[in-house]
Amino acid sequence: MVEISNPDLMELVSNRIRLNKPYVGVFLKKDDENSSDVVDNLDDIYNVGTFCQVTEMRTVDDKLRLVLLGHRRIKITDISKPAEPKKTGDKVEGEEKTEEKTDAVENIVQVETDNLKHEPFKQNDEVKALSGEIVKTFRDIIKLNPLYKESIQLLVDSGKQIIDNPPHLADFGAGMTSADGHELQTIIEECDIPTRLQLSLELLKKEHAIVSLQRKLGQEVEEKVNKMQRKFMLNEQLKIIKKELGIEKDDKQAWWTSLMIGSKKKLSLQISPRL
């Protein structure tokens, strides 16, 4: 899911969806500090991205929220040349109706792309071993954090479509992690499948280490809190037992007793006879 707030880009995407062309190219910006939806220079983005289908579009406040479904990798080849308005053939008052060229189209840099295909590979022992280790790591992560179960369920539901498809398995594994965009970009740009599987496995192992540490820290904090709670409860129970046995008064009674004893000592000092 992505959100865009640039008015020209919002208009351009909305128009394409209304024309039954719900497809966009998504590319990662190289600078994480750059929060703009558009760039003026192609050097500001990676030239390999994803061809996506817009499955849902909503306007939230002043932003356009898009739910995207990735289909394939694409690579930028050139900047698109401005296209001439196309005639639709529908006549209005004796004139041919044309598709108007809006300012949004002129203000947004559009690019030409080609599909980026992975290199041919064989289902050899290396690929099978890497694929098996990825699936095993999936299971290990689920044991530590059940929140991953929903994502893993997609893998189970897909069955052989992903498990027996190393390119998809590598992508799915990387997408499950909390790796930053630049690490994931490395997976997207890698066309050698064994290498892509290895990179994906490394990210999953790192995710497993993070989840393990989170669980360990959570258990330590929980044990500390439980210990403090047990100590507090025991102290309160001890106070009640002492009070019932007359060994210890409550705080208010103890304060009055202390005050009275202090007053008596002060009074006895004042009336003591002189020697």
Side-chain angles (χ1 to χ4, degrees), residues 46-62:
Y46 292 99
N47 67 340
V48 175
T50 308
F51 179 79
C52 300
Q53 178 182 358
V54 181
T55 60
E56 185 177 342
M57 179 180 72
R58 291 184 181 180
T59 301
V60 181
D61 297 330
D62 296 330

Side-chain angles (χ1 to χ4, degrees), residues 14-214:
S14 299
N15 287 341
R16 291 189 64 84
I17 292 177
R18 281 195 292 268
L19 292 172
N20 199 25
K21 298 178 180 179
Y23 301 99
V24 295
V26 180
F27 300 89
L28 179 67
K29 288 176 291 187
K30 296 179 180 179
D31 184 6
D32 292 334
E33 301 298 324
N34 184 358
S35 59
S36 175
D37 294 332
V38 296
V39 294
D40 298 322
N41 193 325
L42 291 184
D43 292 335
D44 294 338
I45 60 176
Y46 292 99
N47 67 340
V48 175
T50 308
F51 179 79
C52 300
Q53 178 182 358
V54 181
T55 60
E56 185 177 342
M57 179 180 72
R58 291 184 181 180
T59 301
V60 181
D61 297 330
D62 296 330
K63 298 180 179 180
L64 196 63
R65 180 175 296 173
L66 306 174
V67 178
L68 305 178
L69 175 63
H71 282 284
R72 58 182 179 271
R73 288 166 168 77
I74 53 176
K75 184 175 183 178
I76 297 175
T77 57
D78 199 1
I79 296 178
S80 298
K81 297 179 180 179
E84 294 294 331
K86 296 181 181 180
K87 296 181 180 181
T88 62
D90 296 334
K91 294 184 178 181
V92 179
E93 296 180 357
E95 297 182 358
E96 289 186 335
K97 184 179 179 181
T98 60
E99 183 179 327
E100 295 183 0
K101 186 178 180 181
T102 64
D103 292 337
V105 176
E106 296 179 347
N107 295 336
I108 300 296
V109 176
Q110 300 187 66
V111 295
E112 299 288 342
T113 63
D114 280 339
N115 294 331
L116 184 64
K117 298 181 179 180
H118 60 74
E119 298 173 1
F121 69 97
K122 294 181 179 180
Q123 283 278 15
N124 53 26
D125 292 340
E126 180 187 10
V127 171
K128 292 178 181 179
L130 288 169
S131 299
E133 189 62 24
I134 287 177
V135 174
K136 177 180 176 297
T137 308
F138 284 158
R139 295 170 180 166
D140 293 340
I141 292 177
I142 285 183
K143 292 177 182 178
L144 295 172
N145 190 344
L147 294 177
Y148 286 86
K149 187 173 183 180
E150 183 177 350
S151 297
I152 298 297
Q153 192 62 43
L154 296 175
L155 175 65
V156 176
D157 293 342
S158 300
K160 295 183 179 181
Q161 184 178 358
I162 291 181
I163 295 178
D164 291 346
N165 191 320
H168 291 175
L169 183 63
D171 293 344
F172 186 86
M176 255 195 60
T177 68
S178 56
D180 63 39
H182 303 288
E183 290 178 310
L184 296 177
Q185 181 66 31
T186 304
I187 302 290
I188 292 177
E189 294 181 356
E190 184 56 61
C191 293
D192 181 69
I193 297 306
T195 303
R196 188 190 298 177
L197 286 168
Q198 181 65 43
L199 292 172
S200 179
L201 180 58
E202 290 175 3
L203 293 182
L204 280 168
K205 291 295 184 181
K206 185 186 297 184
E207 188 73 15
H208 181 266
I210 293 174
V211 174
S212 298
L213 180 59
Q214 288 175 338

